[in-house]
Amino acid sequence: MASARGPAYLLTLGRWRRGLGIATQSRALAALVPGVSQVDNKSDFLGKRSHRRHPGILQLSHVRLPQVLVDAAQLLLLESSMPNMEKQVQALTNYLWSRHLPVEPEDLQRRAVHLEKKFLENADSCQMEKLCGEVLHALRRTTYHWQELSYSEGLSLVYMAARLDGGFAAVSRAFHEIQARLPEFQPQTLMDFGSGTGSVTWAAHSTWGQSLREYMCVDSSAAMLELAEKLLKGGSGSGMPYVPGVFFRQFLPVSPKVQFDVVVSAFSLSELPSKANRTDVVQTLWRKTGHFLGKEKSPLDPRPGFVFAPCPHELPCPQLTASKPLACSFSQAYHPIPFSWNKKPKEEKFSMVILARGSPEEANRWPRITQPVLKRPRHVHCHLCCPDGHMQHAVITARRHGRDLYRCARVSSWGDRLPVITPSELPPSPAQDPPES
């Protein structure tokens, strides 16, 4: 397997959780942001294209799965003998959306100590022997009971019917961000950790099919890998795969020399049993990305890493560190696989982070729009995550910010980047001679 050449990216996606959604801020909080001064027009893009196509626009229209993939999924479901498929799909969808991360051992210990102190306050000497049982009973009642999902052949098919199209839409949006901002990037190799039904492979082929020559799909479930291979072969176990160069395995490559241009983990990190496991896996995936290992700089490739998207900075997330934490999430519309219960267009809500090898100076750090844009007469409300690591609620008008910036903001959407520069980024004014005395 060839190592990565040029830029390399680690992409992770996760499900947007209910209860951590977008909060509507009061109009009383709105203020003109002094840092948003004028449109960033260094490349003169506004002289070549309309405001509706400014380079900060990243939202895709309704995503459609490749027809060959739709046909394969419908064929597999038609040939299956599973009863009540619609009910099973709905039950699995509800379960996945309600699923939480497993409780960490230290958190469980803290809860036990808290409950013990609470019971001790009301306990007398004759109740002490019951204390241990009461603490254990309270822990069982109040603690989320996480269980590892084991995908059989039948459950894999239900997962395909429930999640193949939504997963494809989210990954397509993430890949589009890289392609739109760096059209010269042409990856040759890709690894997908927790590949499931293979939606990452299909999305990558739709985005970079002309350059990608190797796809490594890693999943612990043999049933999932078999299903993904059938989808590539049109729904059968034989024949030529629609996407060439796809390899399947149940374990990550051990050799540190095996690296890939793009490494993806889509909706799989939350299925690991602990924070320590997730940290270890992310570090392993990062080592598989690019030319060098870990955080140490290599004499062959001294490039560090930085956050390519969605954050315009490497600072703590301002939404997660707020008094009321909010999830940094996005939404992508898509046309679902037209099963009998699945006819209307849908939206996939997800969170993502894209890490890149290189230096932050290699990418422009425009603010990210983190909530739906509110369009009002002669002004626009934009909630922005800014390069200084802070959230800003900007009210943009043509009178105070200029016609170009106002029009760019008005046609932008949630998830887009606003092409603006701050006063610190403006070129210095030419030096003037002191007045003659």
Side-chain angles (χ1 to χ4, degrees), residues 63-353:
V63 170
R64 291 183 181 273
L65 277 70
Q67 189 59 46
V68 64
L69 177 58
V70 171
D71 294 342
Q74 289 180 309
L75 177 62
L76 285 169
L77 211 60
L78 184 65
E79 292 179 345
S80 73
S81 56
M82 296 184 64
N84 302 319
M85 178 59 77
E86 181 178 354
K87 290 184 179 179
Q88 293 193 58
V89 167
Q90 190 59 52
L92 179 60
T93 300
N94 293 340
Y95 175 72
L96 291 174
W97 278 106
S98 64
R99 194 164 162 81
H100 298 281
L101 294 175
V103 178
E104 297 296 323
E106 55 269 24
D107 293 332
L108 196 61
Q109 180 65 29
R110 280 195 294 269
R111 292 184 189 182
V113 171
H114 172 74
L115 288 169
E116 185 179 15
K117 290 181 178 178
K118 182 178 179 181
F119 290 141
L120 279 172
E121 291 174 356
N122 303 317
D124 53 35
S125 56
C126 7
Q127 294 176 317
M128 292 297 293
E129 59 186 34
K130 299 180 181 179
L131 180 60
C132 182
E134 290 179 350
V135 169
L136 289 175
H137 178 71
L139 282 175
R140 292 192 189 100
R141 191 180 67 251
T142 60
T143 302
Y144 176 74
H145 297 285
W146 184 88
Q147 289 183 324
E148 183 178 358
L149 277 172
S150 179
Y151 285 97
S152 62
E153 181 180 349
L155 187 57
S156 297
L157 200 63
V158 176
Y159 184 89
M160 177 203 75
R163 292 293 306 142
L164 176 61
D165 42 18
F168 178 89
V171 176
S172 295
R173 166 63 181 82
F175 286 164
H176 173 70
E177 171 117 7
I178 301 175
Q179 185 187 50
R181 292 172 57 182
L182 287 177
E184 69 276 9
F185 177 61
Q186 296 294 315
Q188 297 184 18
T189 58
L190 175 142
M191 182 177 74
D192 179 16
F193 173 76
S195 54
T197 55
S199 57
V200 169
T201 291
W202 287 92
H205 183 264
S206 298
T207 307
W208 296 299
Q210 297 298 318
S211 64
L212 278 170
R213 56 179 177 79
E214 180 183 330
Y215 308 75
M216 178 63 69
C217 297
V218 180
D219 200 289
S220 59
S221 170
M224 276 288 196
L225 294 177
E226 183 179 355
L227 176 59
E229 189 170 11
K230 284 183 179 179
L231 286 169
L232 284 171
K233 294 180 179 180
S236 68
S238 59
M240 295 295 293
Y242 180 79
V243 179
V246 181
F247 302 90
F248 300 95
R249 60 186 300 160
Q250 288 185 268
F251 305 98
L252 284 167
V254 176
S255 172
K257 296 182 180 179
V258 178
Q259 298 176 330
F260 302 85
D261 294 332
V262 180
V263 177
V264 183
S265 175
F267 309 105
S268 56
L269 292 178
S270 58
E271 297 302 322
L272 298 176
S274 69
K275 181 179 179 180
N277 288 122
R278 292 190 292 275
T279 301
D280 288 343
V281 166
V282 169
Q283 289 175 344
T284 299
L285 297 180
W286 183 238
R287 288 195 295 267
K288 298 294 181 188
T289 308
H291 293 295
F292 61 98
L293 304 180
K295 298 180 180 178
E296 294 78 19
K297 294 183 179 181
S298 162
L300 298 178
D301 190 345
R303 296 172 301 167
F306 68 98
V307 179
F308 182 83
C311 321
H313 55 79
E314 282 72 46
L315 300 168
C317 176
Q319 295 201 150
L320 290 181
T321 55
S323 57
K324 294 183 179 180
L326 301 173
C328 183
S329 58
F330 303 93
S331 179
Q332 178 57 55
Y334 66 96
H335 293 282
I337 300 173
F339 298 125
S340 59
W341 64 88
N342 216 24
K343 300 291 187 181
K344 296 180 180 179
K346 295 184 176 181
E347 287 201 5
E348 176 74 4
K349 291 183 174 65
F350 62 97
S351 297
M352 71 172 181
V353 62

